[in-house]
Amino acid sequence: KQLDAVDDDEFNRSKILLLGLRRSGKTSIRHVLFENVKPSKNFIETDMTTKMSKHKIDSIIPLEIWDVPGHANPEKVMEELGVPLSTFSTLIFVIDICDNYPKAIEYLLYFFTNAYKENQEINLEVFIHKADARAEDYRNENARNIQLRIFDELADLPPITLNNPSAPNSGASTPSVTTIEPSQIPIVFHLTSVLDHHLLQEAFSRVLMRLLAPACLPFLEELLNAFCGSSHASKVFLFDTRTKVYVATDGSPVDSATHNLCCDYVHMLNSFGSLYKSSSASSNRQERRIRAPLHPATSTP
Amino acid sequence: MKKKVLLMGASGSGKTSMRSVIFSNNPASLTSRLGATIDVEQNLVRFLGDLVLNLWDCGGQDSFMDSYLSTQRATIFQNVGVLIYVFDVESREMSKDLEYYRDCLEALRKYSPDAVVFLLVHKMDLVRNQKGPILERKTKDLRDNSGDTPITVFGTSIYDESLYKAWSRIVHSLIPNAAVLTKHLKIFAEACSATEVILFERTTFLVIATSHETAAPPTTANGTTTTDLTSEDTGDPHQLDPTRYERTSELIKAFKHSCSRMREEFRSLDMELPDYTAVLDELTKNTYIMVVVHDPTIETAAIKINIRLAREKFEELQSESLP
Ligand SMILES: Nc1nc2c(ncn2[C@@H]2O[C@H](COP(=O)(O)OP(=O)(O)OP(=O)(O)O)[C@@H](O)[C@H]2O)c(=O)[nH]1
Ligand SMILES: Nc1nc2c(ncn2[C@@H]2O[C@H](COP(=O)(O)OP(=O)(O)O)[C@@H](O)[C@H]2O)c(=O)[nH]1
Ligand SMILES: [Mg+2]
């Protein structure tokens, strides 16, 4: 009931929570992914985020991105959120590849275990960020270390008790209860960097695909497989043109060079879109294009 | 026809970087790997028709500057068509930079009195707030240091389209038959029912001419081109974005670079966008043409046929007027 009060939006947006210690790169990621900021060398001196902010993104699924500043104490973050973690479809935890892991990992465990406790359908994603700060050879090794650390820590935790939200009486009286080993919590890892926007776009594609998965991903993939077959295309991506990430692709493996080129192409088309926009000619054009087949006889509005 | 272009300015001001972005199609992010230029690096860049740019990238360390101004004075400053002098907007030694600049200008007046002078206030991306006022102040400063020599000032950065704007104007000033090209582009635009037609040089994608130019050429004497473009579009019902040309150059260069990473060659581009149709295709050996059409009844294929039919005429135009 409390939830309804928070989002009496026109429709329900899938909510994604960006988490991470201070300066881990959350705001920068948001800027590059959704605000078309070009990361140059002397990139965004993002002001220290001090307030939580929410951002509506109209991608193929309506999203709302919540960006909360890191606090030393995770309970402070919960307080600032003001809603339970079960509000979110996805948690993205941003961890700086050079950061002191123990603190970040402790932070991560707090949120991931609590979120999972409340909702076993939640998608838990980790962005191992600022990959550019490590030489290529060490990058993957570093990322693997972080992953192992997280798994180790999870294994050391006591079994967690699930509050099953799908139970009929989800009031405080008698929630149906099961327990799970923390090491079984599914977590997906991505290596990211704002200086390599393709890497970031690919990571966010995968986040979106997991969000779509139960509902329509299998159908989309089948559709694209069929398209590939009948058009002799070697690879097909279905892009969300707003966010410039793909939301589905055919079954063949994704080769990052091809993906990068497609991203750049979509970016270019998007940028061209407004470049030669005419203040006098533009408005009717789109309408006519759509309307023409419907009323072929009655043109010129 | 060879035109000598001098690229000068203090060490680290960004000369070699801009050269590599414009002429070698390198991304801006890779310029940090460039080393300081030793002495002068000469490059021949084949441009339109027979026009060849002879680009002299002059290393800017003091010892080199001193020798340009003394023992090499005649060699450097003779037969110069264009001098481009680059100032780092964040330079700590502006008074020293200006002193060298004044000395170069003096040498230029003696050896190449007809040379056109462009001044670039570079690395504008480093300026966070108040770009406009800072550029204005710098412009005034530079004007005060230029005596009677007419100058054109641009604020530039390799990280955005401003670099293309400046360089398009620079090469435009070097092209002898720009007005003829504009006239024919206008005719062509009419034939295609196009809103606008733009001609690019093939490797740099700098804008050579457009069908849209008004009577006043963009680089008149003394014209400070910082905020002038807004007035250019008066009387135009479309009121297209004044930064469209340089942004087009930048976008296409970036995409060409993406293609080259895949070892794919960039050939042409047809875009049917919600607001307009644009076709970008080869026109002559060293130019590309872009046709922008807002009329939704014009078919893309028709535009392409028109481009094909116009090729011969434009090849002719280029070779004719460049003896
Ligand atoms: N932020 C920023 N940095 C730039 C820009 N242009 C160039 N740089 C950087 O400035 C540094 C020096 O650039 P160079 O092109 O080597 O300078 P140069 O003028 O050729 O120097 P000399 O060859 O010694 O005369 C490089 O690290 C470039 O990445 C710009 O527009 N913005
Ligand atoms: N080298 C590098 N620096 C980054 C990257 N992402 C962010 N940063 C820098 O990290 C700092 C903190 O970023 P910010 O987005 O404010 O972090 P937040 O506090 O988590 O929102 C900024 O100075 C960014 O420029 C990255 O991928 N690589
Ligand atoms: Mg140099």
Side-chain angles (χ1 to χ4, degrees), chain A residues 259-275:
Chain A
H259 165 252
N260 293 356
L261 186 58
C262 293
C263 276
D264 291 346
Y265 184 65
V266 172
H267 172 73
M268 183 181 63
L269 285 184
N270 262 355
S271 316
F272 258 109
S274 59
L275 214 52

Side-chain angles (χ1 to χ4, degrees), chain A residues 23-28 43-44 46 49 129-130 132 193-194:
Chain A
R23 315 292 294 158
S24 54
K26 302 179 289 296
T27 309
S28 315
F43 184 52
I44 341 170
T46 43
T49 324
H129 191 54
K130 308 198 190 180
D132 60 281
S193 155
V194 288

